[in-house]
């Protein structure tokens, strides 16, 4: 498949927010330690509020472990939170990690992840045990490999309705692209 298209369609295994029948689906391949992903996180939240039911957001793990040593454990922690507390716990920890990623060198350490998992109303100690046992390593790898097959090389990388978005990821540019996709979907 061309690296311009999403190789693995969005499905039940994905972490998504919003109406599954929304006319626009935004997929982000992200890394929890990536500063750019941290910067785009509040932009995506504002776009979700702005577009409401017209936008479904999907996050897929793409830890860049060669430059971000805590990214893999952070991704596994969110997967553990999902398994232990459901989608609400997953998204709570997802948000907390991005909100605190720049709090210092230990923010995404295992101790930091344990603290944030507890804040997300999940047993932080159990999350660390899951990480130590590599329970969700394969799940994170599945996301990563779907990104590789889709041509992802850096984070954040976005796909809008299955097509790679090559534009800037500032709020105005992303909003324009999402609105155009919504209008194109309404016209069909």
């Amino acid at each position: 498949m061309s690296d311009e298209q999403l190789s693995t369609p969005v499905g039940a295994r994905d972490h998504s927010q919003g109406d599954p029948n929304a006319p626009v689906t935004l997929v982000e391949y992200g890394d929890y330690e990536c500063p750019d992903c941290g910067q785009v996180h509040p932009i995506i939240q504002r776009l979700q509020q702005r577009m409401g039911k017209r936008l479904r957001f999907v996050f897929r793990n793409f830890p860049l472990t060669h430059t971000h040593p805590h990214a893999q454990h952070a991704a596994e922690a969110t997967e553990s939170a999902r398994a232990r507390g459901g989608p609400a716990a997953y998204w709570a920890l997802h948000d907390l990690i991005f909100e605190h990623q720049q709090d210092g060198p230990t923010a995404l350490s295992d101790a930091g992840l344990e603290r944030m998992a507890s804040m997300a109303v999940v047993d932080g100690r159990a999350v660390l045990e899951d990480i130590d046992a590599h329970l969700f390593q394969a799940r994170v790898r599945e996301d990563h490999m779907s990104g590789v097959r889709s041509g992802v090389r850096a984070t954040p990388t976005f796909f809008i309705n299955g097509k790679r978005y090559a534009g800037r990821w500032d709020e105005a540019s992303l909003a324009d692209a999402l609105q155009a996709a919504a209008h194109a979907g309404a016209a069909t």
Side-chain angles (χ1 to χ4, degrees):
M1 180 169 276
S2 162
D3 64 354
E4 293 296 311
Q5 298 292 316
L6 192 61
S7 69
T8 303
V10 172
R13 70 174 293 286
D14 282 302
H15 303 294
S16 68
Q17 290 179 316
D19 185 344
N21 298 314
V24 181
T25 297
L26 174 66
V27 175
E28 176 187 358
Y29 280 93
D31 172 317
Y32 285 108
E33 198 170 0
C34 166
D36 291 338
C37 293
Q39 288 178 344
V40 80
H41 177 71
I43 292 170
I44 290 171
Q45 289 180 316
R46 287 191 299 271
L47 291 171
Q48 286 177 288
Q49 289 176 344
R50 191 168 165 186
M51 291 191 69
K53 294 182 179 188
R54 296 178 301 143
L55 178 64
R56 172 174 56 167
F57 173 65
V58 174
F59 185 86
R60 290 183 176 170
N61 297 297
F62 200 82
L64 300 170
T65 56
H66 58 284
T67 55
H68 300 137
H70 300 104
Q72 179 70 30
H73 279 194
E76 289 180 41
T78 62
E79 296 299 335
S80 174
R82 167 65 177 90
R84 292 181 174 282
Y90 169 86
W91 288 108
L93 185 53
H94 169 92
D95 292 346
L96 284 166
I97 290 171
F98 280 127
E99 290 163 8
H100 293 281
Q101 75 168 191
Q102 298 299 316
D103 285 358
T106 61
L108 298 184
S109 67
D110 285 354
L113 292 171
E114 179 181 11
R115 180 180 50 74
M116 285 186 275
S118 296
M119 291 168 62
V121 195
V122 185
D123 181 344
R125 172 60 40 204
V127 167
L128 285 188
E129 290 170 2
D130 289 350
I131 291 170
D132 288 343
H134 308 292
L135 288 183
F136 298 99
Q137 190 174 42
R139 172 63 173 83
V140 171
R141 179 120 178 100
E142 287 173 22
D143 273 4
H144 190 272
M145 291 310 299
S146 76
V148 169
R149 287 189 301 275
S150 298
V152 175
R153 290 174 201 69
T155 57
T157 295
F158 297 101
F159 291 82
I160 299 174
N161 288 348
K163 186 173 183 197
R164 186 177 184 142
Y165 170 71
R168 295 168 39 116
W169 43 263
D170 61 274
E171 189 165 350
S173 299
L174 266 173
D176 288 347
L178 294 171
Q179 293 292 349
H183 291 305
T188 58

